[in-house]
Amino acid sequence: MRRWTAVLTLIVLLAGCGGGEQVDPQAPAPVWQSAAPATPAALTPAEAKSRYLAIVAPYNTVLEELEDAVNAGKPWRTVRTLAADVARTNAAHAVELRETVWPAEVRAPMGALLKENDVALRHWRRAGEAADADALMREIRAAAAHSGAREAGRVRTALGLPAYREG
């Protein structure tokens, strides 16, 4: 008899842990259990133009500052600091470009631009850490060889923007 009392007590205790709620399998899931997050909509052409220009502006500005410093014959350590700034802004603008949902006609040229940008970024980072003037200039030239200018031109065309003009 004691055994049945112990089993009955255990069953009552376990049944109490269930909370007593009946779950309707046809009921919609609570908001916090939604199946998938909503995918953001692609930008409109007008939004895409302004977004692209806003994203690339800081990178273009720092890049032009570096170019001006090199052309002016500034000390290599000054140029190295600017190269590190280029690397930082390059990385930041690549993240923003990747996170943006571009209109369909912009996606292929944007992908090509980002691919070229990834190669250039490695060289910009090395330039920003260069141990001497020769290494600095070698990395700047390597980064410039992967500037993505042609690809950026295709992005601008897809966005309906005019060709980029420095300064």
Side-chain angles (χ1 to χ4, degrees):
M1 184 70 160
R2 287 181 143 197
R3 188 177 301 170
W4 285 108
T5 305
V7 170
L8 184 59
T9 303
L10 183 59
I11 291 172
V12 169
L13 287 174
L14 290 175
C17 293
E21 296 177 17
Q22 295 295 325
V23 178
D24 179 4
Q26 301 299 327
V31 174
W32 53 269
Q33 288 183 346
S34 62
T39 303
L43 297 176
T44 66
E47 292 169 334
K49 284 180 186 181
S50 62
R51 180 79 177 130
Y52 177 76
L53 293 173
I55 291 171
V56 300
Y59 174 68
N60 288 339
T61 300
V62 175
L63 195 57
E64 288 177 19
E65 289 173 8
L66 174 100
E67 185 179 339
D68 291 345
V70 169
N71 291 338
K74 297 285 183 180
W76 76 270
R77 286 183 173 88
T78 300
V79 175
R80 179 180 62 191
T81 299
L82 289 169
D85 290 345
V86 169
R88 181 182 45 75
T89 58
N90 180 294
H93 102 290
V95 167
E96 289 185 69
L97 291 172
R98 278 190 173 88
E99 290 177 348
T100 301
V101 182
W102 299 102
E105 62 274 8
V106 180
R107 292 178 191 154
M110 185 61 70
L113 174 60
L114 287 166
K115 187 175 181 181
E116 202 60 9
N117 188 78
D118 290 343
V119 176
L121 179 56
R122 289 193 300 270
H123 294 290
W124 285 123
R125 286 181 171 147
R126 289 180 194 144
E129 298 171 351
D132 58 45
D134 289 338
L136 172 65
M137 292 313 296
R138 183 175 53 251
E139 293 301 333
I140 288 174
R141 282 190 295 276
H146 295 280
S147 70
R150 183 176 56 235
E151 293 81 2
R154 290 183 182 130
V155 168
R156 293 178 74 86
T157 298
L159 289 169
L161 291 167
Y164 177 73
R165 290 191 177 89
E166 287 187 34

